[in-house]
Every structure is written in structure tokens, then in C-alpha cells.
Amino acid sequence: MSMLTNTLGRYFAGRFVVAALGVFASIFLLLVLVDYIEMVRKTSGLASASAIMVAETSLFRVPQLLEKLTPFCVLIGAMTCYLALSRRLELVVARAAGVSAWQFISPALGSALVIGVLATVAYNPMSANLRELSKRMEAELFGSAPGGGIQDASGFWLNQVTSDGQTIINAARSEQQGIRLTGLTLFRFDTDQHFKERIEAREATLESGHWLFKGVRRFTLDAPPVDQASLEIPTTLTEAQVRNSFSTPETVSFWQLPSYIRSSESSGFATAGYRLQYHKLLAQPFLLAAMVMLAASVSLRFFRMGGVQKMVLSGVGAGFLLYVLSKVTEDLSKAELMHPIAAAWLPVVVGGLTGFLALLYQEDG
């Protein structure tokens, strides 16, 4: 009977899933705590910031941060699972019963593939939506006053030129991939590039043919500031152009990436970042399976033989080197020096082959 369906296989798969989810939950709680403390520090001077709202904002921000750590959660979870099985001599009993290492690794490989598919098709869209919701809550926390309250000096920048002149827009925060902005500062120039006015606004929404600003305060050189409830400024920018300027590939869900790639191509924008993210999500199940292979290659050693600590450290080091490789290939792909497919799948191939060859040497060498 296949190890993927019999009782022993389900037991090994269950132990692996519990260990991986345990690591995932532990890192999640740690990130929430750290992010909550940072948010409390930022909102300490805001009377409108309640503890519950700050906690919800941190809670909604963390899933997207944790998504990048999913491969390491699987790596540490698999190592924890196999080390526990080895310490309790369960692997010894399995080997004595004629079960090879390849057989009791296969349930974890199948489980990793399932976890990867769920992370791509379900967790990724959920984390992207929660990130958008957290941005909206941040706007409510920091954008109650004209000028957006607390502003990030870098923020988001946009330059538009119309028949009325030039407008430079700086937004502290972006929602809906740039369709809605908060904490705005605008610098307007006439057609002769002479300074015209500075505008601060609480929020802005891109509508057909114009930006709609709310909570506006206008500053000129020869008049006192003027407050306005709303202001419309013409624009020739489209939603696709704004989204490509403000959105990052990581904030676009898996199901929306193909349409973003098509819109970027039709608008003449670079699509390397979106293509890389799409193929990384497609490769994620196989990357998690490669992490299981790496973990198994360093954690199946019997405790009585010693050297377990060195093997564990080598597994952590291999995971770190794989992360460095993925960052290098990602940078090369975004610079259009490497094809997105090669950049997304190279870490998977390297990690999988490394774990496979190490296991092959240990078990059959």
C-alpha cells in the first residue's frame, strides 16, 4: 500500500503538518507582537487611535510579511518533525520494519505540495486583501488631519503634466494600488515652470479624467492658506498607469497578476516584476517540497551517532543560502538580466537537487 494513503503515511504526514503549522503560528504571533509594539509607538500621540484598532491594523499587516517566510516555516517544521521522530526512535522502528527513508519522506512531500497550492491560491489573495484593509485602517489612524498627519518622507511620488502645467504629487500611503491616496502634498507649476501653489489634502481618489481631493488646504505665495472641502484637478493618467506606478508585485493577488501583466504590456510598462511574482507563486508548492528534501537530508541522522547539532546548523545554513540565491535571481530578473521563469524556478531546482543528492548519498551511497 502506498505510503501516502496507509496509516503510517498519514501519521508521518500529520506530524509534519502539525510541526509546520506550529512554527508558522509561533512566527505569526511574534511578528504580530513586534508590529503591534511599533504601531503603538507611532500612534502614541494620536487621541483617536484605540488599542483595538491598532491591534487590528497590525494583525492585518502581518500575513503578507509572513508569506515570505513560508518556505522557512516548512524547513524548520520538517526538521523539527524528523528530529522528534528520530529522538523517539520512531524512525528506527520504521526502518526495522522495512520502510526506507524515501517512503517516510513522501508523505511530507505530498503535504508540502498541498500546503504550497493552498498558500498560492488561497493564502496569497487573502494576505493581499488584508494588506489593503490595513492600509485603509492606517489612513483612518494617521489621516484625520489635513496633510495626512504623520507622513513618510519617501512615500509615493507621481508626476503629471497637463495643459494647465505640471503637478508633482507625494502621498504618504496608497490603497487599491494607487487608486486612492492619503496624506497628500502637491506642488503645482504653470506652463512656464513657475511655482503656482502647494496643496495639502487628506485623501484623493482617481476618477475619470481627474483627481478628486478631499480635506484640502491650499498655500500660495501672496495669500493666506485657504481650506476647501474638495478639489478636482484634471489628469490624463489612467487606472492602469497609476497602478503600475504605485503597486508592487507583492501587493497584487495571484488571481489578479495575469490581468496586471496584460495591462502593463498594453501600456508599455515593464512587466518583469509581475511575471517574476506570478512564476514564484506557481513554483511555491515545489519550493516547499524542496525545503522538505533539504530538511530530511540533515535531520534523519540517529541521535546516538552524534553530530546532530552540526547537521541542523548545516540545514539552516542551506536554507539561508537558498534565500540569498532567490534574492539574487529576483534582482537580476527585475533588472531584466534574467528571464522571470529562470529566476523563479532556479532556487527550486537547486534546493531540490541539493536535498535529493544528499539523501541519495546518505541512504543509497
Side-chain angles (χ1 to χ4, degrees), residues 149-181:
I150 299 175
Q151 274 197 354
D152 184 356
S154 58
F156 301 89
W157 292 89
L158 188 66
N159 180 34
Q160 68 172 34
V161 179
T162 63
S163 58
D164 297 331
Q166 181 183 18
T167 303
I168 299 175
I169 302 174
N170 174 237
R173 291 162 296 278
S174 167
E175 300 176 29
Q176 304 173 25
Q177 284 81 43
I179 303 302
R180 183 176 184 270
L181 307 174

Coordinates of all heavy atoms in Angstrom, one line a residue, residues 149-181:
G149 N -1.5 64.0 8.6 CA -0.9 63.7 9.9 C 0.5 63.3 9.8 O 1.3 64.0 9.2
I150 N 0.9 62.1 10.2 CA 2.2 61.6 10.1 C 2.5 61.2 8.7 O 1.8 60.3 8.1 CB 2.4 60.4 11.1 CG1 2.1 60.9 12.5 CG2 3.8 59.8 11.0 CD1 2.2 59.7 13.5
Q151 N 3.5 61.7 8.1 CA 3.9 61.3 6.7 C 5.3 60.7 6.7 O 6.2 61.1 7.4 CB 3.9 62.6 5.8 CG 2.5 62.9 5.3 CD 2.6 63.9 4.1 OE1 3.7 64.4 3.8 NE2 1.6 64.2 3.5
D152 N 5.4 59.8 5.7 CA 6.7 59.2 5.4 C 7.4 60.1 4.4 O 6.8 60.5 3.4 CB 6.4 57.8 4.8 CG 7.7 57.1 4.6 OD1 8.8 57.7 4.8 OD2 7.7 55.9 4.1
A153 N 8.6 60.5 4.7 CA 9.3 61.4 3.9 C 9.5 60.9 2.5 O 9.5 61.6 1.5 CB 10.7 61.8 4.5
S154 N 9.6 59.6 2.3 CA 9.8 59.0 1.0 C 8.4 58.8 0.3 O 8.2 59.4 -0.7 CB 10.5 57.6 1.1 OG 9.8 56.8 1.9
G155 N 7.5 58.1 0.9 CA 6.2 57.9 0.4 C 6.1 57.5 -1.0 O 7.0 56.7 -1.5
F156 N 5.1 57.9 -1.7 CA 4.9 57.6 -3.1 C 4.9 58.9 -3.9 O 4.2 59.9 -3.5 CB 3.5 56.9 -3.3 CG 3.4 55.6 -2.5 CD1 3.0 55.6 -1.2 CD2 3.9 54.4 -3.1 CE1 2.9 54.4 -0.5 CE2 3.8 53.2 -2.4 CZ 3.3 53.2 -1.1
W157 N 5.6 58.9 -5.0 CA 5.7 60.1 -5.8 C 5.1 59.9 -7.2 O 5.2 58.8 -7.8 CB 7.2 60.6 -6.0 CG 7.8 61.0 -4.7 CD1 8.4 60.3 -3.8 CD2 7.8 62.4 -4.2 NE1 8.8 61.1 -2.7 CE2 8.5 62.4 -3.0 CE3 7.3 63.6 -4.7 CZ2 8.7 63.5 -2.2 CZ3 7.5 64.7 -4.0 CH2 8.2 64.7 -2.7
L158 N 4.4 60.9 -7.7 CA 3.8 60.8 -9.1 C 3.9 62.2 -9.7 O 3.7 63.2 -9.1 CB 2.3 60.4 -8.9 CG 1.6 60.1 -10.2 CD1 2.2 58.9 -10.9 CD2 0.1 59.9 -9.9
N159 N 4.3 62.2 -11.0 CA 4.4 63.4 -11.8 C 3.4 63.4 -12.9 O 3.4 62.4 -13.7 CB 5.8 63.6 -12.2 CG 6.0 64.9 -13.0 OD1 5.4 65.9 -12.7 ND2 6.9 64.9 -14.0
Q160 N 2.6 64.4 -13.1 CA 1.7 64.5 -14.2 C 1.8 65.9 -14.9 O 2.0 66.9 -14.2 CB 0.3 64.2 -13.8 CG -0.3 65.3 -12.9 CD -1.8 65.0 -12.7 OE1 -2.3 63.9 -12.6 NE2 -2.6 66.1 -12.6
V161 N 1.7 65.9 -16.2 CA 1.8 67.1 -17.0 C 0.5 67.2 -17.8 O 0.2 66.3 -18.6 CB 3.0 67.1 -17.9 CG1 3.1 68.4 -18.7 CG2 4.3 67.0 -17.1
T162 N -0.2 68.3 -17.7 CA -1.4 68.6 -18.5 C -1.3 69.9 -19.1 O -0.2 70.6 -19.1 CB -2.6 68.5 -17.5 OG1 -2.5 69.6 -16.6 CG2 -2.7 67.2 -16.8
S163 N -2.3 70.3 -19.8 CA -2.3 71.6 -20.5 C -2.3 72.8 -19.5 O -1.9 73.9 -19.9 CB -3.6 71.8 -21.3 OG -4.8 71.6 -20.5
D164 N -2.6 72.5 -18.2 CA -2.5 73.6 -17.2 C -1.2 73.7 -16.6 O -0.9 74.7 -15.8 CB -3.6 73.3 -16.1 CG -5.0 73.3 -16.6 OD1 -5.2 74.1 -17.5 OD2 -5.8 72.6 -16.0
G165 N -0.3 72.8 -16.8 CA 1.1 72.8 -16.2 C 1.4 71.5 -15.6 O 0.9 70.4 -16.0
Q166 N 2.4 71.5 -14.7 CA 2.9 70.3 -14.1 C 2.5 70.2 -12.6 O 2.4 71.2 -11.9 CB 4.4 70.3 -14.2 CG 5.1 69.1 -13.6 CD 6.6 69.2 -13.6 OE1 7.2 70.2 -13.8 NE2 7.3 68.0 -13.5
T167 N 2.1 69.0 -12.2 CA 1.8 68.7 -10.8 C 2.6 67.6 -10.3 O 2.6 66.5 -10.9 CB 0.3 68.4 -10.7 OG1 -0.5 69.5 -11.2 CG2 -0.1 68.2 -9.2
I168 N 3.3 67.8 -9.2 CA 4.0 66.7 -8.5 C 3.3 66.3 -7.3 O 3.0 67.1 -6.4 CB 5.4 67.2 -8.2 CG1 6.2 67.6 -9.4 CG2 6.2 66.1 -7.4 CD1 7.6 68.2 -9.2
I169 N 2.9 65.0 -7.2 CA 2.1 64.5 -6.1 C 2.9 63.6 -5.2 O 3.6 62.7 -5.7 CB 0.9 63.7 -6.6 CG1 0.0 64.6 -7.5 CG2 0.0 63.2 -5.5 CD1 -1.1 63.9 -8.2
N170 N 2.9 63.9 -3.9 CA 3.5 63.0 -2.9 C 2.4 62.5 -2.0 O 1.7 63.3 -1.4 CB 4.6 63.7 -2.1 CG 5.2 62.9 -1.0 OD1 5.1 63.2 0.2 ND2 5.7 61.7 -1.3
A171 N 2.3 61.1 -1.9 CA 1.3 60.5 -1.0 C 2.0 59.7 0.1 O 3.0 59.0 -0.2 CB 0.4 59.7 -1.8
A172 N 1.6 59.8 1.3 CA 2.2 59.0 2.4 C 1.8 57.6 2.3 O 2.6 56.7 2.6 CB 1.8 59.6 3.8
R173 N 0.5 57.3 1.9 CA 0.0 56.0 1.8 C -0.8 55.8 0.6 O -1.4 56.7 0.1 CB -0.8 55.7 3.1 CG 0.0 55.6 4.4 CD -0.9 55.7 5.6 NE -1.6 57.0 5.6 CZ -1.0 58.1 6.1 NH1 0.2 58.1 6.6 NH2 -1.7 59.2 6.2
S174 N -0.8 54.5 0.1 CA -1.5 54.2 -1.1 C -2.5 53.0 -0.8 O -2.1 52.1 -0.1 CB -0.5 53.8 -2.2 OG -1.2 53.2 -3.3
E175 N -3.7 53.1 -1.4 CA -4.6 52.0 -1.3 C -5.1 51.6 -2.7 O -5.1 52.5 -3.6 CB -5.9 52.4 -0.4 CG -5.5 52.8 1.0 CD -6.7 53.3 1.8 OE1 -7.8 52.8 1.5 OE2 -6.5 54.1 2.7
Q176 N -5.6 50.4 -2.8 CA -6.1 49.9 -4.1 C -5.1 50.1 -5.2 O -5.5 50.5 -6.3 CB -7.4 50.6 -4.4 CG -8.5 50.4 -3.4 CD -9.8 51.2 -3.6 OE1 -10.1 51.5 -4.8 NE2 -10.5 51.5 -2.6
Q177 N -3.8 49.9 -4.9 CA -2.7 50.0 -5.9 C -2.7 51.4 -6.5 O -2.5 51.6 -7.7 CB -2.9 49.0 -7.0 CG -2.4 47.6 -6.6 CD -3.5 46.9 -5.9 OE1 -4.7 46.9 -6.2 NE2 -3.1 46.2 -4.8
G178 N -2.9 52.5 -5.7 CA -2.7 53.8 -6.1 C -4.0 54.5 -6.5 O -4.0 55.7 -6.8
I179 N -5.1 53.9 -6.6 CA -6.4 54.5 -7.0 C -6.9 55.4 -5.9 O -7.5 56.5 -6.1 CB -7.5 53.4 -7.3 CG1 -7.0 52.5 -8.4 CG2 -8.8 54.1 -7.7 CD1 -6.6 53.2 -9.7
R180 N -6.6 55.1 -4.6 CA -6.9 56.0 -3.5 C -5.6 56.3 -2.7 O -4.9 55.4 -2.4 CB -8.0 55.4 -2.6 CG -8.4 56.3 -1.4 CD -9.5 55.6 -0.6 NE -10.0 56.5 0.4 CZ -9.5 56.6 1.7 NH1 -8.4 55.8 2.0 NH2 -10.0 57.4 2.6
L181 N -5.4 57.6 -2.5 CA -4.2 58.0 -1.8 C -4.5 58.8 -0.6 O -5.6 59.5 -0.6 CB -3.3 58.9 -2.7 CG -2.9 58.3 -4.1 CD1 -2.2 59.4 -5.0 CD2 -2.1 57.1 -4.0

